[in-house]
Amino acid sequence: MMDRDSRVREHWPVRFLTMLAALGPEEIDRRFAAADRHLRESGVFYRVYEDPAGVVRPLAVQPRPAA
């Protein structure tokens, strides 16, 4: 979404970005949490095949790195 200089790439529609900005951080966090909950309840996961333990990990979407 962003280029090396932290500018929004041209192909992202301004209308979409304006809508995201209008939501605010709390609403965006709420929506990402709802998406994570839906994925967890639906049993969506991923596996790193090079991992010798073959651990199954829940797939999560996050708007920014976890603190």
Side-chain angles (χ1 to χ4, degrees):
M1 182 171 179
M2 309 295 279
D3 67 13
R4 267 185 251 177
D5 300 318
S6 298
R7 292 182 303 231
V8 176
R9 296 181 189 273
E10 287 183 33
H11 61 271
W12 285 94
V14 173
R15 199 169 101 186
F16 173 71
L17 298 174
T18 302
M19 183 273 308
L20 279 179
L23 290 175
E26 293 83 16
E27 180 61 16
I28 290 173
D29 287 344
R30 187 191 71 74
R31 291 180 184 204
F32 271 94
D36 283 336
R37 189 171 44 256
H38 177 71
L39 289 171
R40 186 177 58 253
E41 290 171 357
S42 297
V44 178
F45 66 91
Y46 73 98
R47 182 173 309 184
V48 178
Y49 289 100
E50 292 82 25
D51 181 352
V55 177
V56 172
R57 297 174 175 97
L59 181 66
V61 291
Q62 297 176 349
R64 57 187 157 274

